[in-house]
Amino acid sequence: MNILLINGPNLNMLGTREPEIYGSETLSELVAALSSYATDTHGVTLRDFQSNIEGEIVTAVQDARHWADGILMNPGAYTHYSIAIRDAISSIDVPVIELHISNVHAREEFRHTSVLSAVCLGVIAGFGRHSYFNALDSMVRHLKS
Ligand code: DQA
């Protein structure tokens, strides 16, 4: 089983970016821990991709249709307005779980809207770094069922 993890804009800044909201772990530390967990606990392979550029995320989603069984995506701020990423998700048969570190519904009003959720398998938000692990568990459970 091959799972793609996509992190959108500013998630490369984890560790130093608003640590009171996003924690102090860097993205590479988080990805390393999640990759080990994926292999050791579920026997699945995790590939990761981060970009601050909308079009690169669109291309990564499109390309994933050739090899990935599922996609975990923290789209960052693109969550709230990227119709291009929404259309890319709709274009492929691979299930996508939208995930967020913070509870977007407990924050500013502009974060309450996601243009992506309706075309995703599900949404996980507000569990800090555990949102990634919960999303992986849910995807594996979905793919095995
Ligand atoms: C985020 C929430 C978004 O609103 C924000 O723009 C991010 C991170 C989260 O993981 O909590 O960049 O997706």
Side-chain angles (χ1 to χ4, degrees):
M1 213 180 266
N2 293 304
I3 309 284
L4 173 63
L5 170 67
I6 298 178
N7 279 289
N10 298 305
L11 290 157
N12 57 313
M13 300 290 285
L14 285 184
T16 52
R17 172 194 185 195
E18 299 177 274
E20 66 287 359
I21 298 174
Y22 298 114
S24 53
E25 191 176 26
T26 65
L27 182 61
S28 53
E29 288 165 349
L30 176 57
V31 169
L34 190 67
S35 294
S36 302
Y37 178 76
T39 312
D40 299 347
T41 307
H42 295 300
V44 309
T45 304
L46 189 80
R47 243 194 248 182
D48 92 286
F49 176 75
Q50 190 277 328
S51 178
N52 295 324
I53 300 169
E54 185 179 25
E56 289 185 356
I57 296 171
V58 168
T59 301
V61 170
Q62 292 175 1
D63 289 351
R65 77 190 189 280
H66 299 302
W67 64 271
D69 299 299
I71 299 175
L72 315 177
M73 188 189 301
N74 184 345
Y78 286 141
T79 306
H80 313 300
Y81 66 93
S82 177
I83 306 301
I85 294 175
R86 179 190 170 114
D87 286 348
I89 294 170
S90 296
S91 304
I92 62 169
D93 280 335
V94 181
V96 178
I97 294 180
E98 175 188 329
L99 76 97
H100 302 283
I101 296 168
S102 64
N103 178 357
V104 283
H105 299 288
R107 299 181 63 195
E108 303 95 323
E109 206 169 327
F110 65 85
R111 296 187 204 275
H112 299 182
T113 301
S114 167
V115 298
L116 308 181
S117 300
V119 294
C120 288
L121 177 65
V123 182
I124 292 173
F127 297 95
R129 74 192 290 275
H130 299 299
S131 290
Y132 287 83
F133 294 79
N134 294 345
L136 178 66
D137 289 344
S138 296
M139 180 61 80
V140 171
R141 212 163 281 141
H142 169 76
L143 293 172
K144 284 186 173 163
S145 68

